Each structure stands twice: as C-alpha cells, then as structure tokens.
C-alpha cells in the first residue's frame, strides 16, 4: 500500500524556520515527482512547491519563492520542504503528494499524506 507520512510541523515564531519531511513507502519513490501543498481551514488547498523525479526541476508558488526549498533523498525515500523566514500567513496544514505524471508541474497527484500542522505566531 502506497503511503506518505509528513512530519516536522509545529509552532514557531515569525522569522523562524522549519524542515518538513515526507517519508514514502509502498511505491517506487524514485519514479515520482513530489509536491507540497498547504491548506487553511475554509480555504482551497494551494500548491507550494514541486520537484520532478528525474531532472530535479523545481517550481515554487510566488508567495514562497526565496523562502522555501524543496528537496528529496531517493536513498531515504524522503522529500523535504525547508521553510525559512516564516510568516503568520504560512500557517496551514502542509501536505506532500506524489505523481508519476510526466508533465511538470504535475497536473495531478496519485498519493497524498495526512498532513502536518504549521503554526506561525506573530
């Protein structure tokens, strides 16, 4: 069974940093692009960043460019999202997802994690 498990969220002051992790199992991680998304209650989920499987192409939402860095370790079956200079508006549940779609950014994702809460205090 394919599974993604996020961790690393928490409560942090504005200006601080966090590293979110996403551990994959049950599928060939190397073959999948990874995406990070976030959602605030009552609002639509938004894409934050994605990283291709082979060419290591990356894409970032304008709101996070220069502050967020996506990466992956295929040896560890793990994806990461380094978040710096956190702002209160970054408060959300963060989800990772994986896609085997050849298009980039992936138009759809096959597997999703359960999310990890990030709360930024002002």
């Amino acid at each position: 069974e394919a599974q993604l498990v996020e961790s690393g969220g928490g409560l942090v002051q504005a200006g601080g940093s966090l590293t979110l992790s996403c551990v994959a199992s049950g599928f060939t991680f190397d073959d999948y692009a990874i995406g990070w998304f976030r959602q605030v209650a009552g609002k639509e989920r938004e894409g934050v960043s994605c990283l291709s499987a082979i060419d290591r192409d990356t894409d970032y939402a304008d709101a996070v460019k220069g502050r967020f860095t996506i990466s992956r370790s295929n040896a560890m079956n793990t994806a990461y999202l380094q978040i710096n200079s956190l702002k209160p508006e970054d408060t959300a549940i963060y989800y990772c997802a994986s896609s085997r779609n050849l298009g980039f950014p992936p138009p759809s994702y096959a597997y999703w994690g359960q999310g990890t809460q990030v709360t930024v205090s002002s």
Side-chain angles (χ1 to χ4, degrees), residues 30-42:
D30 301 23
D31 293 341
Y32 284 70
I34 292 295
W36 283 95
F37 298 78
R38 64 186 182 185
Q39 188 168 25
V40 177

Side-chain angles (χ1 to χ4, degrees), residues 3-77:
Q3 192 172 19
L4 295 169
V5 179
E6 303 96 334
S7 63
L11 173 63
V12 64
Q13 287 189 331
S17 298
L18 283 174
T19 300
L20 306 183
S21 299
C22 171
V23 178
S25 62
F27 63 97
T28 306
F29 182 72
D30 301 23
D31 293 341
Y32 284 70
I34 292 295
W36 283 95
F37 298 78
R38 64 186 182 185
Q39 188 168 25
V40 177
K43 295 187 177 181
E44 288 191 3
R45 183 176 61 202
E46 65 170 333
V48 172
S49 182
C50 55
L51 172 62
S52 67
I54 298 176
D55 296 329
R56 300 299 177 99
D57 291 331
T58 59
D59 192 46
Y60 294 92
D62 288 342
V64 307
K65 282 180 180 176
R67 299 189 298 120
F68 289 22
T69 303
I70 190 171
S71 62
R72 65 190 295 161
S73 167
N74 288 345
M76 300 292 291
N77 280 2

Side-chain angles (χ1 to χ4, degrees), residues 13-16 63 67 83-91 119-121:
Q13 287 189 331
R67 299 189 298 120
I83 308 175
N84 297 324
S85 302
L86 277 157
K87 304 175 180 180
E89 53 263 43
D90 294 321
T91 295
T119 303
V120 185
S121 63

